[in-house]
Amino acid sequence: MVAQRFEDWADNGQVEGDLLAEIIRNQRLFPVFQPIVDLRSGECLGHEALIRGPENTPLHAPYHLFNAAIRHQQLHRLELLCRRCSLQRFATAGLPGKLFLNVSASLLSTPDHQHGFTAELLQQLGIPLERLVIELSEQHPFDHHGLTRAAVEHYREMGFNIAIDDLGSGYSGLKLWSELRPDYVKIDMHFVRGIDQDSVKREFVRSICNIGHSLHCQIIAEGIETVEELHTLQEMGVRYGQGFLLGRPDAAPAIPLDPLAIRKGYVDGSRAWRSVNTETAQVLARPIPAVAPDDRLCEVSEIFRQMPQIGSVPVLLDGEPVGIVRRAELLELFSAQYGRALYEQKPVSRLLRQEVLIVDCDTPLEQVSQLITEQDEGQAIQQELLITLEGCYLGMGSVRDLLKRITELKIRNARYSNPLTLLPGSVPINREIDALLQKAADFHVAHFDLNGFKYYNERYGYSRGDQVLRQIGGLLARHIDPAHNFVGHVGGDDFIVLFRSRDWYEICTRILADFEAQRVELYKTQHFEAGGFRSRDATGTERFQPLLSIAVGVVYPDPYKCTSHHEVAELALEASRGAKRCDGNAIFENPERFLRQPWREQAPPR
Ligand code: C2E
Ligand code: MG
Ligand code: MG
């Protein structure tokens, strides 16, 4: 079904209805969040929640999901569920600022709403009411009725902010604006696309800004994709913006790019998948305003005055960092007699310091720390670093924050890692699997298990046994690229690898070949040459035990059927048994993507 084209599939109403019912029953909805940014200060105003159905299904996109819900008379149930999921995720992710929530207009007049469903939920989650902005579309793709003033007033009286979404996409936008008096108006992306090259679009946006100004309503430009569009909107004084250029919708959105720092030549790049346990320089990036080498020192001084907590200001040339200006040096210069009068009009380049560490936001924290300690011995340790995305300035980080974060991670990792191999143990493995299922990601799980380990331990002693486990841990870590895959050690001789790369089979084959080559070091010569040794089994019968080998059981979990790591673990164990039935080193893939269990079929809808 997954591989079928949407058109073929959509003809089949029954299948669509079943999938929709299953999504609603098991709450398989995944909100993503897109930042909305202040185009003047670079601050994040908040995030818009956008819903996704399970990945790799025809109901992944909200358009198809809501249309299916309309066809099957499930719109209201779906809508309430979307709201619940979005609010819960927003609360657990701890996102800053406001939450912009899309609401289908016709729902406003249903009894569910009169009874304060949303307010109650917010209270349970500890989110203040004024952080919520209800987005109403003037021409909602799914629904054209029900946007009444009374219903909107009801929301407003409860303390929510109101936004009109997609202004300009329908016919009645201005009428709605005048009637509803929203707090925000979002300009449809039609007017943003190519605005730098279209004077008519600029005129429309200018008029919208003027009306907004008179009615005390804030304007948000949607769908900003290019640097040129951004700059045009900034020049026109549009206050807020949203779009792929500033930040893509994501389950755990990165800090948005600072619109003041984005310069021509910036390219939006896709980032490599990374384990939830690997943190990068991005977590350190704080959006500190930047200056250019030609700016005057009084402007730097003003930034320091407004931000007493920062020790330096970044200097950019065409969006790329070239150095910093330090607070202490500026103060020293200004505090000399007539210092301020003499120097405040001088260019920033006069105090520019180039000896600052510049790192890409994808650099793992450990590596950043290494770069700092590797600096010349004679040089004073730097207190700050400049963080870039594809060469362009993203933010500044402090060495203090870096050390703090690394210490926290070390403590957490030590608590949850296997003491023998220092690989992540079952808690982080399970967390990782659940995170992948949540994202409805495409991944393979490989369970590595040693055949005959018990007899090896008995024959050679536990200390040699531990050495074998360490060797396998090292082997896995060497062959597995952590940027795409994840290695964990459950305990004993059980290891788990989560593969997001497609070449999992080739990687497993190479690991087995390496293990086979290293096996000679684990045995006395006579045992190795004989291909094993004799030992007694549990019943006291003497049996020949062949050399150690690895059984790899692989599964490909179906993210919209497996709800947690428990089911994935069950599948992996089944596959591992299959691999153990083969002789020697073996890889076995379990063709079942999900084990049917009678109790699941009967589970009441949640
Ligand atoms: P919307 O509320 O106008 O959301 C903005 C849409 O524009 C989103 O599409 C977003 O991914 C997309 N977008 C953002 N920046 C850019 C950009 O720079 N370029 C382009 N080309 N697109 C951009 P998405 O997520 O597919 O959502 C489509 C619509 O589905 C939303 O339009 C909204 O009306 C509706 N929707 C999404 N989630 C929910 C929900 O939970 N409840 C309701 N009632 N409607 C929802
Ligand atoms: Mg919206
Ligand atoms: Mg919109």
Side-chain angles (χ1 to χ4, degrees), residues 48 102 135 165-166 186-189 222 242:
E48 177 175 6
N102 290 288
E135 279 194 19
D165 201 358
D166 311 321
K186 300 180 85 174
I187 306 176
D188 189 71
M189 62 180 89
E222 280 195 310
Q242 178 181 1

Side-chain angles (χ1 to χ4, degrees), residues 319-474:
E320 290 182 17
V322 286
I324 53 170
V325 175
R326 296 211 163 90
R327 182 192 287 269
E329 288 183 338
L330 184 78
L331 276 182
E332 198 184 328
L333 196 67
F334 278 14
S335 61
Q337 203 178 13
Y338 310 120
R340 175 174 276 275
L342 278 174
Y343 295 109
E344 69 176 2
Q345 297 302 325
K346 294 281 186 248
V348 161
S349 50
R350 193 175 174 111
L351 278 189
L352 178 69
R353 293 286 167 254
Q354 288 173 314
E355 57 284 5
V356 59
L357 189 63
I358 301 177
V359 291
D360 184 85
C361 62
D362 275 348
T363 318
L365 290 185
E366 295 280 350
Q367 208 176 320
V368 178
S369 143
Q370 219 170 351
L371 289 170
I372 290 173
T373 47
E374 274 169 6
Q375 283 165 358
D376 280 352
E377 295 244 331
Q379 222 178 306
I381 288 263
Q382 289 164 15
Q383 296 307 309
E384 58 279 297
L385 30 127
L386 285 169
I387 299 161
T388 57
L389 190 154
E390 302 195 349
C392 287
Y393 172 68
L394 178 65
M396 273 189 102
S398 78
V399 171
R400 197 161 148 260
D401 285 350
L402 170 73
L403 292 180
K404 199 164 148 237
R405 196 65 202 128
I406 288 187
T407 313
E408 283 165 5
L409 289 175
K410 282 252 182 288
I411 293 170
R412 195 182 79 180
N413 286 349
R415 191 178 303 148
Y416 295 124
S417 59
N418 185 288
L420 197 60
T421 53
L422 302 180
L423 288 170
S426 54
V427 172
I429 296 173
N430 293 341
R431 199 192 300 138
E432 195 71 36
I433 294 176
D434 285 340
L436 290 172
L437 290 175
Q438 272 257 322
K439 281 200 268 176
D442 199 17
F443 67 110
H444 283 81
V445 181
H447 181 179
F448 285 70
D449 190 3
L450 274 175
N451 298 317
F453 187 54
K454 178 174 173 293
Y455 299 105
Y456 181 90
N457 262 337
E458 283 170 10
R459 186 71 196 225
Y460 282 87
Y462 287 97
S463 169
R464 290 288 294 275
D466 285 353
Q467 215 175 322
V468 173
L469 296 179
R470 273 196 291 268
Q471 191 170 336
I472 302 220

Side-chain angles (χ1 to χ4, degrees), residues 8 160 170 233 270 310 360 366 379 405 462 510 519 532 563 568:
D8 307 337
F160 300 129
L233 292 163
S270 65
I310 62 169
D360 184 85
E366 295 280 350
Q379 222 178 306
R405 196 65 202 128
Y462 287 97
R510 282 200 292 273
R519 238 175 3 186
T563 50
V568 175

